[in-house]
mmCIF file of all heavy atoms in Angstrom:
data_model
loop_
_atom_site.group_PDB
_atom_site.id
_atom_site.type_symbol
_atom_site.label_atom_id
_atom_site.label_comp_id
_atom_site.label_asym_id
_atom_site.label_seq_id
_atom_site.Cartn_x
_atom_site.Cartn_y
_atom_site.Cartn_z
ATOM 1 N N PRO A 38 45.340 55.292 165.377
ATOM 2 C CA PRO A 38 46.492 55.634 166.267
ATOM 3 C C PRO A 38 46.335 55.020 167.669
ATOM 4 O O PRO A 38 47.338 54.529 168.257
ATOM 5 C CB PRO A 38 46.499 57.225 166.281
ATOM 6 C CG PRO A 38 45.147 57.527 165.760
ATOM 7 C CD PRO A 38 44.661 56.468 164.899
ATOM 8 N N SER A 39 45.122 55.058 168.273
ATOM 9 C CA SER A 39 45.029 54.455 169.580
ATOM 10 C C SER A 39 45.188 53.005 169.628
ATOM 11 O O SER A 39 45.874 52.379 170.493
ATOM 12 C CB SER A 39 43.740 54.880 170.297
ATOM 13 O OG SER A 39 42.634 54.246 169.627
ATOM 14 N N GLY A 40 44.642 52.270 168.644
ATOM 15 C CA GLY A 40 44.782 50.897 168.598
ATOM 16 C C GLY A 40 46.177 50.361 168.363
ATOM 17 O O GLY A 40 46.659 49.370 168.876
ATOM 18 N N LEU A 41 46.856 51.050 167.391
ATOM 19 C CA LEU A 41 48.216 50.773 167.042
ATOM 20 C C LEU A 41 49.097 50.860 168.344
ATOM 21 O O LEU A 41 49.997 50.083 168.642
ATOM 22 C CB LEU A 41 48.721 51.615 165.872
ATOM 23 C CG LEU A 41 48.180 51.257 164.498
ATOM 24 C CD1 LEU A 41 48.553 52.282 163.521
ATOM 25 C CD2 LEU A 41 48.646 49.829 164.060
ATOM 26 N N THR A 42 48.945 52.066 168.954
ATOM 27 C CA THR A 42 49.752 52.215 170.173
ATOM 28 C C THR A 42 49.517 51.200 171.158
ATOM 29 O O THR A 42 50.487 50.649 171.696
ATOM 30 C CB THR A 42 49.422 53.689 170.792
ATOM 31 O OG1 THR A 42 49.614 54.648 169.885
ATOM 32 C CG2 THR A 42 50.324 53.956 171.896
ATOM 33 N N ALA A 43 48.281 50.806 171.412
ATOM 34 C CA ALA A 43 48.006 49.872 172.507
ATOM 35 C C ALA A 43 48.506 48.461 172.063
ATOM 36 O O ALA A 43 49.189 47.883 172.870
ATOM 37 C CB ALA A 43 46.425 49.804 172.684
ATOM 38 N N ALA A 44 48.357 48.172 170.811
ATOM 39 C CA ALA A 44 48.807 46.775 170.372
ATOM 40 C C ALA A 44 50.322 46.630 170.466
ATOM 41 O O ALA A 44 50.783 45.683 170.891
ATOM 42 C CB ALA A 44 48.305 46.569 168.903
ATOM 43 N N TYR A 45 51.038 47.767 170.080
ATOM 44 C CA TYR A 45 52.465 47.696 170.235
ATOM 45 C C TYR A 45 52.904 47.498 171.618
ATOM 46 O O TYR A 45 53.710 46.615 171.928
ATOM 47 C CB TYR A 45 52.987 49.075 169.675
ATOM 48 C CG TYR A 45 54.486 49.150 169.863
ATOM 49 C CD1 TYR A 45 55.372 48.584 169.019
ATOM 50 C CD2 TYR A 45 54.953 49.867 170.977
ATOM 51 C CE1 TYR A 45 56.743 48.705 169.324
ATOM 52 C CE2 TYR A 45 56.341 50.170 171.102
ATOM 53 C CZ TYR A 45 57.163 49.496 170.347
ATOM 54 O OH TYR A 45 58.539 49.631 170.494
ATOM 55 N N LEU A 46 52.291 48.295 172.612
ATOM 56 C CA LEU A 46 52.719 48.172 174.037
ATOM 57 C C LEU A 46 52.347 46.888 174.583
ATOM 58 O O LEU A 46 53.018 46.234 175.469
ATOM 59 C CB LEU A 46 52.176 49.391 174.713
ATOM 60 C CG LEU A 46 52.729 50.785 174.380
ATOM 61 C CD1 LEU A 46 51.869 51.869 174.981
ATOM 62 C CD2 LEU A 46 54.162 50.891 174.589
ATOM 63 N N LEU A 47 51.210 46.303 174.226
ATOM 64 C CA LEU A 47 50.727 45.044 174.740
ATOM 65 C C LEU A 47 51.729 43.874 174.335
ATOM 66 O O LEU A 47 52.104 43.107 175.171
ATOM 67 C CB LEU A 47 49.341 44.765 174.306
ATOM 68 C CG LEU A 47 48.208 45.641 174.957
ATOM 69 C CD1 LEU A 47 46.854 45.457 174.105
ATOM 70 C CD2 LEU A 47 47.867 45.175 176.397
ATOM 71 N N ALA A 48 51.945 43.903 173.116
ATOM 72 C CA ALA A 48 52.876 42.808 172.559
ATOM 73 C C ALA A 48 54.369 42.978 173.159
ATOM 74 O O ALA A 48 54.876 41.964 173.524
ATOM 75 C CB ALA A 48 52.923 42.932 171.010
ATOM 76 N N ARG A 49 54.732 44.235 173.342
ATOM 77 C CA ARG A 49 56.048 44.464 173.853
ATOM 78 C C ARG A 49 56.131 44.014 175.358
ATOM 79 O O ARG A 49 57.162 43.609 175.816
ATOM 80 C CB ARG A 49 56.367 45.983 173.809
ATOM 81 C CG ARG A 49 57.850 46.251 173.887
ATOM 82 C CD ARG A 49 58.142 47.758 173.743
ATOM 83 N NE ARG A 49 57.547 48.460 174.923
ATOM 84 C CZ ARG A 49 58.120 49.551 175.325
ATOM 85 N NH1 ARG A 49 59.138 50.156 174.779
ATOM 86 N NH2 ARG A 49 57.534 50.209 176.384
ATOM 87 N N ALA A 50 54.978 44.003 176.063
ATOM 88 C CA ALA A 50 55.023 43.617 177.408
ATOM 89 C C ALA A 50 54.823 42.090 177.488
ATOM 90 O O ALA A 50 54.915 41.514 178.624
ATOM 91 C CB ALA A 50 53.790 44.192 178.269
#
Side-chain angles (χ1 to χ4, degrees):
S39 70
L41 286 170
T42 304
Y45 172 78
L46 295 172
L47 288 164
R49 201 178 66 151

